[in-house]
Amino acid sequence: SGSGVGEGYGFAIPITLVREVMGELLEHGRVRRPVLGAAVAEVRMRHAEAVGLGRAGIDGIRGAVVAEVAPNSPAAAAGVRAGDVIVSANGQAIERVAELQRALRAADVGAAVDLEYVREGTRARASVRLEEARDNAAEAVARPGITRL
């Protein structure tokens, strides 16, 4: 800029993301995003106690608590419910929501993701077949601390 403000600022896009997007565009003509059909939030002490993470053998406060499950979604079809705490995806421990996001983003549309979750102090497993995200921008209401997957 002529004023010098903003000069020297830049950003970088990881090459792995560029390759992923390029591959989707070349193969499908658009970027497809796999979705679980659930909204999740970070686990807090109250969630950990309510769901019984300690009774299920989970140390500490970790995972992603399911805030809501969309009707007729892959998560609903697999039996995932609001209040469940997802603690692993495809065998990888989930400490925070961002790790669950990465695990889902790494999967293809139509792929099955094996989730382990805790409900009422008991560990359970579900195989969730991800579907392609639909453009529901009008329906998606942003809520602080909630991530739609």
Side-chain angles (χ1 to χ4, degrees):
S1 76
S3 69
V5 176
E7 198 169 311
Y9 287 98
F11 67 95
I13 300 172
I15 192 63
T16 54
L17 178 59
V18 172
R19 286 185 180 133
E20 181 181 312
V21 168
M22 186 176 64
E24 282 286 316
L25 289 172
L26 289 172
E27 187 172 341
H28 303 285
R30 66 187 188 288
V31 177
R32 301 176 322 146
R33 189 171 53 91
V35 293
L36 182 63
V40 298
E42 298 295 345
V43 174
R44 304 282 184 243
M45 179 63 80
R46 70 177 189 272
H47 301 124
E49 290 173 350
V51 80
L53 287 183
R55 290 191 321 265
I58 305 292
D59 292 329
I61 300 171
R62 67 177 187 88
V65 63
V66 178
E68 63 185 53
V69 176
N72 304 314
S73 67
V80 176
R81 293 190 222 156
D84 292 346
V85 174
I86 299 170
V87 295
S88 76
N90 286 336
Q92 296 293 95
I94 301 298
E95 300 288 330
R96 303 184 52 89
V97 169
E99 291 174 353
L100 180 57
Q101 284 179 300
R102 280 191 292 277
L104 296 177
R105 194 173 53 230
D108 292 327
V109 170
V113 174
D114 294 320
L115 298 179
E116 181 180 14
Y117 57 91
V118 176
R119 178 186 298 155
E120 298 175 7
T122 303
R123 289 184 190 220
R125 294 186 179 278
S127 180
V128 181
R129 188 157 307 278
L130 303 177
E131 53 182 49
E132 184 174 354
R134 295 182 286 274
D135 184 15
N136 293 340
E139 297 175 23
V141 177
R143 294 190 334 212
I146 302 292
T147 303
R148 295 195 181 281
L149 300 175

